[in-house]
Amino acid sequence: MSILIVSIGFATMLLMMFLSFPIAVTIVAVGTLGGYMLYGMPLVEMMGGVIWSSLNSPSMLAIPLFMLLGELLLRGGIADRMYDAMAVWLARLPGGLLHTNIATCTLFSATSGSSVATAATVGTIALPALQQYKYPIKPALGSLAAGGTLGILIPPSVNLLVYGSIANTSVGQLFAAGVIPGLLMAASFSLYIFFAHGKAGQEARDLVDMPLRQKLALSRHLIPPFVVFTVVMGSIYGGLATPTESAAIGVIIAMAFVAFNGRLTVDLLIVCSIQAAKTSGMVMIVLVCSLLLNVTISMTGAAQALTTWIASFELSQFSLLFVLLIFYILLGTFMDAMSMLVLTVPIVIPVVVAAGVDPIWFGIFIVIMCEAALITPPVGMNLFVVQGVRTDGGSYSDVVKGSWPYVFIMMVFTILLIVFPAIVMWLPDMLAGR
C-alpha cells in the first residue's frame, strides 16, 4: 500500500475531527468505508467477528469495575476525608496545600483510573480551602489540573487498559510499568511547587500548628485508599488475580469502607452504577471503533507501509521517539486524550516495535503524552474540568497559565524516560523475573 493512501486516511480523520465529528464516527468512517473501498464487503463482514472476539473477554470487564471503584470512593465520602488528612501533614512544606493537591491526586489516582474524575473530585474538595487561605489562583488551579492527569498513569488506569487491548500487551505489566513513573512525575510536580511557589499558603497556620494527636486521628482516613491500592495491585503483581478479578475485589473492599462510614445506601449504589456505566460506555464505543480501524490497517498493510517509509529515513531510536514526542504534543492541542490514544496506537505501534522499542515502555510514553493533552489548550479536558468547579467566576486563562509549567515538566520527564528506559521497565522486568 502506498504511504500516500495512509496519509490521506489519517488526514481525513483529523479533518473530520476539526469539523466536530464525534471521534467514534470519524474512526468508523475511515476504518469501515476505507476498508470497503479497498477490499469490498468481505473485509467489512469479517469486522464483526474480530470485534466480538476482542470484546467477549473477561479483561474488558475491568473497565466498568475500575470506574465503579472510583465512583464509590468519590461519592462514599472517602476522597474528601483523604484531602483533609493529607493537608495537615503537607501544609508546613513550602507551597503548603499545593503539595496536598498533588499528593491527594496521586493517592486518588491509585484507586480511580480516570484523570477527569481525579481532577473534578480533588478540585471540588480543595478549592474552598485554597481560597480560604488566600493561595494564588493560577498556581492553585494549575496544580489541580496537572495533578489530575496522574489518574491515567498511576494504576489502575483505564487508558492503560485500552492501550493493552489495542496493542495486545499485558495489562498487568503495563500497570507495573506505570507505578514508578507515576510517583516520580508526582514528585517532579511537587519539586516545581517547592521552588516556584514556596511562599504560597502563609495564611494556613492553623493546619501547621494542629496538635499531633489530631493529625494522627485524621490520618486514619488514609487507610481506605492504601488498602484498596495494596489489595488490587498486590493481587495482580502476586499472580493471585487477573486485573478484572482484582477490580472486583477492589469494588467489594470499597463498598465495605463506605458501609463502615454509614454511607452505603441503595440510592448511592444506583448513582455510582449509572455514572460508571455512562463513562464505561463511552470508552467501550471508542474502543470498538478503534478495533474496526485496526482491522483495516492490518488487512491493507498500512502499518507495514508506514514502517517501511519511516525506516527509510534511518532515524535512531532516540530521534524517532523525540519526533513522536513533538507530534503528540502538537496533536494534544486539538484532540482529547482517549481519542489520541485509540487513533494513533494502531498506526504507530508497529513502527516503534520495528525500531526496537518495548511496547510496554511505549504504553507509558503515550499515556504521558495523553496526560499532556489533558492540560494543553485549547481542548485540554482537565482545564475545562477545573475551571468548571470554580465558584469565583474567574477567567479560563487562569487555569491555562497555571498549567503550562507542568506541560514543560512532562516533556522533560519524557525525555528522561527515553534516555533511561529502565525507569519504566525495572519493576515489570523484576516482577516477570527478567
Side-chain angles (χ1 to χ4, degrees):
M1 168 177 277
S2 169
I3 191 63
L4 178 62
I5 298 178
V6 178
S7 302
I8 291 173
F10 190 72
T12 301
M13 287 190 286
L14 293 181
L15 177 61
M16 292 179 68
M17 290 179 192
F18 272 123
L19 296 175
S20 300
F21 281 88
I23 179 64
V25 174
T26 298
I27 298 177
V28 168
V30 174
T32 306
L33 294 180
Y36 175 77
M37 291 171 62
L38 290 169
Y39 289 94
M41 281 304 296
L43 180 60
V44 176
E45 290 171 351
M46 71 174 291
M47 289 181 174
V50 173
I51 293 172
W52 175 254
S53 62
S54 299
L55 294 184
N56 188 27
S57 166
S59 62
M60 289 294 101
L61 284 175
I63 294 176
L65 286 172
F66 280 127
M67 292 291 187
L68 181 57
L69 173 59
E71 288 293 325
L72 286 168
L73 295 176
L74 166 60
R75 302 179 189 278
I78 293 175
D80 51 353
R81 296 172 182 176
M82 188 193 317
Y83 186 87
D84 294 338
M86 287 285 192
V88 297
W89 292 105
L90 299 179
R92 66 174 55 251
L93 295 177
L97 292 181
L98 300 182
H99 294 288
T100 306
N101 294 345
I102 301 299
T104 306
C105 286
T106 302
L107 191 54
F108 190 76
S109 297
T111 56
S112 169
S114 168
S115 285
V116 172
T118 302
T121 302
V122 181
T124 302
I125 298 166
L127 279 175
L130 294 167
Q131 292 168 349
Q132 176 186 347
Y133 295 116
K134 301 178 181 179
Y135 277 79
I137 191 64
K138 293 176 185 178
L141 296 174
S143 65
L144 290 169
T149 66
L150 297 169
I152 61 172
L153 179 58
I154 297 176
S157 163
V158 172
N159 285 53
L160 286 175
L161 278 167
V162 172
Y163 172 85
S165 300
I166 299 173
N168 195 28
T169 55
S170 167
V171 173
Q173 290 280 286
L174 287 168
F175 280 1
V179 173
I180 294 177
L183 294 177
L184 290 178
M185 181 81 78
S188 301
F189 291 168
S190 283
L191 191 64
Y192 162 73
I193 290 170
F194 185 92
F195 288 107
H197 305 293
K199 295 182 179 180
Q202 300 297 321
E203 304 285 334
R205 298 308 309 172
D206 55 336
L207 293 174
V208 175
D209 298 333
M210 185 177 292
L212 178 60
R213 179 177 296 180
Q214 193 172 349
K215 289 182 178 181
L216 293 175
L218 285 171
S219 296
R220 74 181 188 277
H221 298 307
L222 298 176
I223 295 175
F226 275 116
V227 170
V228 170
F229 178 78
T230 301
V231 173
V232 170
M233 294 297 106
S235 60
I236 295 175
Y237 302 154
L240 302 176
T242 65
T244 303
E245 293 166 344
S246 66
I249 295 170
V251 169
I252 293 173
I253 294 174
M255 289 176 63
F257 279 119
V258 174
F260 181 79
N261 291 335
R263 301 282 293 271
L264 187 63
T265 64
V266 174
D267 289 340
L268 176 71
L269 291 176
I270 292 174
V271 170
C272 291
S273 299
I274 290 174
Q275 189 58 43
K278 287 180 179 178
T279 309
S280 301
M282 177 191 68
V283 172
M284 296 299 285
I285 288 173
V286 175
L287 179 58
V288 166
C289 295
S290 175
L291 292 172
L292 291 175
L293 179 64
N294 229 340
V295 172
T296 299
I297 289 173
S298 300
M299 296 302 296
T300 58
Q304 293 87 337
L306 186 62
T307 301
T308 302
W309 180 66
I310 292 178
S312 67
F313 291 98
E314 298 182 350
L315 297 174
S316 66
Q317 189 179 101
F318 178 85
S319 298
L320 174 62
L321 291 173
F322 187 78
V323 169
L324 287 175
L325 170 65
I326 302 301
F327 168 73
Y328 276 115
I329 290 294
L330 294 175
L331 198 63
T333 60
F334 59 87
M335 189 179 296
D336 69 88
M338 184 62 73
S339 302
M340 193 168 72
L341 178 69
V342 301
L343 181 64
T344 61
V345 167
I347 300 172
V348 175
I349 194 69
V351 176
V352 296
V353 170
V357 178
D358 193 299
I360 298 295
W361 182 93
F362 188 72
I364 304 305
F365 171 89
I366 197 169
V367 165
I368 294 176
M369 294 299 96
C370 290
E371 286 187 303
L374 286 166
I375 56 174
T376 306
V379 295
M381 185 62 70
N382 277 23
L383 302 179
F384 293 115
V385 169
V386 172
Q387 176 68 14
V389 299
R390 293 178 69 178
T391 57
D392 60 356
S395 171
Y396 174 69
S397 64
D398 292 338
V399 63
V400 172
K401 292 176 181 177
S403 300
W404 265 120
Y406 297 97
V407 177
F408 178 75
I409 291 171
M410 289 179 183
M411 293 182 67
V412 174
F413 186 77
T414 305
I415 294 173
L416 182 67
L417 297 186
I418 294 173
V419 176
F420 302 104
I423 296 174
V424 175
M425 297 306 300
W426 176 78
L427 183 58
D429 284 346
M430 184 191 69
L431 294 174
R434 293 194 290 265

